[in-house]
Amino acid sequence: MMQSKGSNSKVSNKVFRTRISSLLISMFAIFASFYVAGRLWQDAQNRVYLIKELDRVTGLGQSAISVDDTLKIIACREQHKTLSALEMDLAIARQEGFTSKRSSDTSGAVSNRKPLVVIGVLTRFGRKNNRDAIRKAWMGSGETLKKMEKEKGVVSRFVIGRSADRGDSLDRSIDDENRQTNDFIILDQVEAPGELPKKVKMFFALAADKWDADFYAKVNDDVYVNIDALGATLSSHLDKPRVYIGCMKSGQVFSEPSHKWYEPDWWKFGDKKSYFRHASGEMYVISGALAKFISINRSLLRTYAHDDVSAGSWFIGLNVKHVDEGKFCCSSWSTGAICSGV
């Protein structure tokens, strides 16, 4: 009997010690989990703090950034480049026929096709007569404008900025006109002659964000456009994912500040002072992939004194097909021409 009691006591002690060990292991696992979670949270907080500190340091113009911080910045930039490249590939894939589901228009109807081209007619304050002439000549208004979008795949909008004195009579007149016609893209930037290159860049960027089109065109508000000829010409270039079409030229760079076409960055164009080949600013067209490129890199693309030179500069370092198309030379009207100055 005594031996039996002793055996039972030993078994009880073993069970007790086993339970304590299990409890300690469980507590250790719980504390370890809390520790790991805390470290992960702390690491995340440190990353947020690091980003804020880098913004603060770089904003103050300081350059004392550690090697580790520099590597993290490089890694972030590489990820941004990868994302930009993927977005470019997506735009090219769409250009080649791989499209997503069609979006609905404002009336709720589903479009049967993506737009062939989005035309931005660059206009200014005090040019209502020009806009009315364009509406009557080729752009249309109201139902005619919608019909052209639906049947021909051509979207046309006037593009204008805001007055330096926001909300003044100039802004109000454009707002009133737009309420009647609903055919404007109003940019959040000052409308001024010197801002035209930035205006063109913003048009391409915003148009690419809003419409998934095959092409995007820039036109001046004193140009007549033959829509049927434009559609036929662009349809022949649908097989080119990155194309830049226009009346190509290479003009003189003027370094005299008093000259009408003065170029502040004249010294960048070499000793001969000639611009690189670029499309005339009266009218030119770029493919959807290039418009998407402008949209993605709008904050990095610089501008020169002229909008056509600026646009040409954005494509120099890219694998882009330049098409010198005489039909886009608006200064001379000929059979089959796409545009004509008026």
Side-chain angles (χ1 to χ4, degrees):
M1 180 66 70
M2 292 296 293
Q3 186 177 1
S4 177
K5 288 182 179 180
S7 298
N8 291 337
S9 177
K10 290 180 181 180
V11 171
S12 299
N13 289 335
K14 288 182 179 179
V15 171
F16 179 72
R17 285 195 297 270
T18 301
R19 288 178 179 176
I20 292 178
S21 299
S22 299
L23 180 62
L24 290 174
I25 292 172
S26 299
M27 291 178 64
F28 177 79
I30 292 172
F31 285 129
S33 299
F34 279 122
Y35 175 77
V36 172
R39 288 301 301 270
L40 291 174
W41 172 256
Q42 184 179 12
D43 184 61
Q45 292 296 99
N46 288 339
R47 289 177 182 274
V48 172
Y49 174 76
L50 174 62
I51 292 172
K52 290 182 179 179
E53 280 297 295
L54 289 176
D55 289 340
R56 183 184 65 81
V57 171
T58 53
L60 294 174
Q62 300 177 8
S63 58
I65 301 177
S66 69
V67 174
D68 184 56
D69 294 341
T70 303
L71 291 176
K72 290 181 179 179
I73 293 173
I74 292 173
C76 289
R77 288 177 176 171
E78 288 300 321
Q79 290 179 358
H80 179 72
K81 289 179 181 179
T82 301
L83 178 60
S84 297
L86 289 173
E87 289 178 334
M88 280 290 292
D89 290 341
L90 177 59
I92 293 171
R94 286 175 175 170
Q95 185 80 12
E96 294 176 343
F98 297 93
T99 57
S100 58
K101 294 181 178 179
R102 295 295 177 214
S103 58
S104 299
D105 59 24
T106 54
S107 65
V110 178
S111 174
N112 294 326
R113 53 188 271 189
K114 66 189 295 186
L116 174 66
V117 59
V118 176
I119 302 175
V121 183
L122 280 289
T123 189
R124 309 190 299 273
F125 295 123
R127 306 273 287 186
K128 188 176 185 301
N129 290 339
N130 289 56
R131 293 190 290 272
D132 286 340
I134 286 177
R135 291 184 182 109
K136 291 179 181 179
W138 61 268
M139 182 171 158
S141 60
E143 291 302 318
T144 305
L145 182 67
K146 293 179 181 179
K147 183 178 180 181
M148 186 168 68
E149 294 178 8
K150 183 177 181 181
E151 296 183 357
K152 298 184 178 181
V154 178
V155 177
S156 298
R157 296 290 186 272
F158 292 106
V159 183
I160 195 168
R162 286 296 190 183
S163 170
D165 299 320
R166 294 295 179 96
D168 63 5
S169 60
L170 295 176
D171 279 348
R172 291 195 299 272
S173 66
I174 293 298
D175 290 337
D176 291 341
E177 184 179 347
N178 190 37
R179 275 191 288 270
Q180 297 174 13
T181 60
N182 194 29
D183 56 5
F184 277 87
I185 295 176
I186 302 177
L187 305 176
D188 186 22
Q189 71 171 57
V190 175
E191 179 62 40
E195 298 298 316
L196 183 57
K198 294 179 181 178
K199 182 178 175 181
V200 171
K201 179 171 66 171
M202 288 307 300
F203 157 66
F204 283 130
L206 295 180
D209 292 342
K210 185 172 183 179
W211 290 282
D212 178 24
D214 293 310
F215 300 98
Y216 299 81
K218 178 263 177 177
V219 180
N220 288 342
D221 69 354
D222 56 358
V223 171
Y224 173 86
V225 178
N226 185 330
I227 295 297
D228 291 333
L230 174 63
T233 298
L234 294 183
S235 295
S236 67
H237 294 291
L238 285 171
D239 61 329
K240 304 177 182 67
R242 294 173 298 277
V243 64
Y244 173 38
I245 313 170
C247 181
M248 298 294 170
K249 65 176 185 177
S250 180
Q252 181 181 353
V253 179
F254 295 97
S255 58
E256 300 79 15
S258 59
H259 198 280
K260 179 181 179 180
W261 306 115
Y262 170 61
E263 172 59 71
D265 289 315
W266 57 267
W267 60 275
K268 293 183 178 179
F269 295 93
D271 296 333
K272 293 185 178 180
K273 296 183 181 179
S274 293
Y275 287 117
F276 39 75
R277 299 290 284 181
H278 60 276
S280 173
E282 292 177 302
M283 180 179 184
Y284 55 87
V285 178
I286 63 175
S287 58
L290 297 185
K292 179 62 69 174
F293 169 81
I294 294 173
S295 175
I296 295 171
N297 299 283
R298 69 186 76 177
S299 62
L300 301 177
L301 297 174
R302 66 149 300 143
T303 57
Y304 293 97
H306 314 297
D307 69 284
D308 52 359
V309 173
S310 299
S313 72
W314 302 332
F315 311 134
I316 284 182
L318 304 180
N319 183 17
V320 174
K321 176 68 175 178
H322 287 60
V323 177
D324 184 10
E325 178 56 76
K327 295 177 181 179
F328 282 88
C329 297
C330 306
S331 58
S332 59
W333 183 263
S334 59
T335 303
I338 290 172
C339 61
S340 176
V342 295

